[in-house]
Amino acid sequence: MKKLQLIKSLSIFLFLITFFSCSEKDRPDGDWDDNIKLSQKKVPFSADRDSIVITTKGEWWWINEVMLNGNAELDRQDVNTADKQFILESSEFMIERKNATELQITMTANPTDTERVLFIGLQAGNYFDSIILTQAAP
C-alpha cells in the first residue's frame, strides 16, 4: 500500500515539474510581462503643432528605436535614453523624458499633404513596447 502511495506521489510530482518547466520554456524571448505599463500606446495628433505626456508605471525602461514615417534618421548616439531625464530632438518632433515616469512628445505642425507617423520603441529588460503617434495631414 505504501508503494502505491509513493508511486502516486512521485507521478504527481513529476507531472507538476514537467508542466511548470514546459510552460516557461515555451515562452519566447521578448515575451515578458508588461513592466513599462504605458498610459497610451496609440495617439492621434492634429495637423497643428501638438503635444502629449505619456506616463508609465515602470521606471526602468529606455528608448531603443525612433522612426518617423519608417525612417530611423534620428541620431541617439550622444543620449542615454535610460537616464531619468533627456531630450531627443529633430526638426519634426521632440521627445523629452521629464522624470522616471513621464515622457512628453511634441510634433511640429505637419506641412506635408500626408499624415506623419512617429514610432517610439521602448524596452525594459526583455520586454518591448511602443508608442505610435499618427499626425493628420492638413
Side-chain angles (χ1 to χ4, degrees):
M1 196 63 147
K2 283 187 175 185
K3 273 188 169 183
L4 185 58
Q5 189 175 5
L6 180 64
I7 291 172
K8 282 182 182 179
S9 296
L10 283 174
S11 296
I12 291 171
F13 178 73
L14 289 173
F15 171 77
L16 290 173
I17 286 180
T18 303
F19 176 76
F20 286 111
S21 64
C22 288
S23 64
E24 285 301 311
K25 287 182 181 177
D26 291 341
R27 197 170 181 179
D29 287 342
D31 188 22
W32 281 20
D33 292 329
D34 183 354
N35 52 7
I36 299 174
K37 296 182 176 37
L38 292 167
S39 62
Q40 282 186 268
K41 295 183 182 195
K42 294 188 187 254
V43 181
F45 270 5
S46 69
D48 299 326
R49 184 179 196 280
D50 212 342
S51 182
I52 189 169
V53 174
I54 299 205
T55 59
T56 66
K57 290 192 178 170
E59 297 182 3
W60 181 71
W61 53 266
W62 58 93
I63 292 176
N64 66 356
E65 186 174 17
V66 177
M67 291 190 305
L68 181 64
N69 297 329
N71 297 320
E73 59 198 44
L74 182 66
D75 181 18
R76 296 179 290 120
Q77 297 282 349
D78 297 333
V79 178
N80 181 358
T81 63
D83 286 347
K84 301 299 182 222
Q85 293 181 325
F86 63 80
I87 295 176
L88 294 173
E89 210 165 0
S90 83
S91 58
E92 292 94 0
F93 61 87
M94 182 178 74
I95 301 167
E96 179 180 2
R97 186 169 184 177
K98 297 200 164 272
N99 55 52
T101 61
E102 290 183 324
L103 191 66
Q104 181 171 350
I105 305 160
T106 305
M107 290 189 73
T108 61
N110 185 355
T112 69
D113 58 351
T114 59
E115 71 179 16
R116 297 193 298 189
V117 178
L118 180 62
F119 174 88
I120 303 168
L122 291 96
Q123 182 177 351
N126 208 15
Y127 176 74
F128 299 85
D129 210 340
S130 62
I131 302 167
I132 299 173
L133 292 99
T134 304
Q135 186 177 35

